[in-house]
Amino acid sequence: MVGTEKAHESNLLKRWIITICIFLIVQLIFITVDGTALEPNMNDSNNLVARMGRWILDSRLFTEWITPYSFPFFNMFITIHVIAILIADFFNDILKKIKKRDWHANNYFEQFKGANL
């Protein structure tokens, strides 16, 4: 049991290091590109998806509240990235607790397998 817990902790640490490294690499790319001519040119055609995207990007959330970058698309992307990381961690914790509970329940019933009750 102790060996599997240490292995799980090292896997968890590796996963977090990889996640944080990817997050920081994306941040460095955004910092480098923000405010330069390398910013992506958003298509402002008259189709519904483009109008909805422009409406979301021009909302106060990405132009006034969450503004680490001057380009609203980067602000939206970083917000979605952080939310995705938090949701993945939340579901991982839930699955870990469920597996641990099932393991303990199976071991509890294994004690009584040979006993005549």
Side-chain angles (χ1 to χ4, degrees):
M1 176 79 180
V2 174
T4 59
E5 285 180 5
K6 287 184 180 181
H8 177 70
E9 287 177 10
S10 68
N11 288 339
L12 183 64
L13 181 63
K14 285 179 188 178
R15 194 180 82 238
W16 270 109
I17 289 173
I18 291 170
T19 302
I20 291 172
C21 286
I22 290 171
F23 181 79
L24 291 176
I25 289 169
V26 169
Q27 292 305 303
L28 289 174
I29 292 170
F30 284 177
I31 289 169
T32 305
V33 171
D34 191 40
T36 65
L38 298 173
E39 285 181 351
N41 187 11
M42 303 305 281
N43 184 6
D44 287 341
S45 60
N46 284 330
N47 64 19
L48 180 63
V49 176
R51 283 185 290 169
M52 286 183 63
R54 181 54 51 199
W55 177 75
I56 291 170
L57 289 176
D58 290 339
S59 68
R60 288 181 52 196
L61 179 66
F62 301 117
T63 58
E64 294 179 17
W65 295 347
I66 302 172
T67 58
Y69 304 107
S70 62
F71 191 53
F73 177 77
F74 291 164
N75 297 331
M76 182 188 70
F77 184 84
I78 202 62
T79 303
I80 292 170
H81 195 175
V82 168
I83 291 170
I85 290 171
L86 293 174
I87 289 173
D89 182 51
F90 175 73
F91 283 121
N92 186 40
D93 286 345
I94 288 175
L95 290 174
K96 184 174 65 172
K97 287 179 183 178
I98 289 172
K99 286 180 183 178
K100 190 174 184 180
R101 186 184 67 202
D102 288 344
W103 184 84
H104 285 299
N106 287 341
N107 280 346
Y108 178 76
F109 291 117
E110 288 290 325
Q111 294 175 10
F112 300 109
K113 236 181 188 180
N116 293 329
L117 297 176

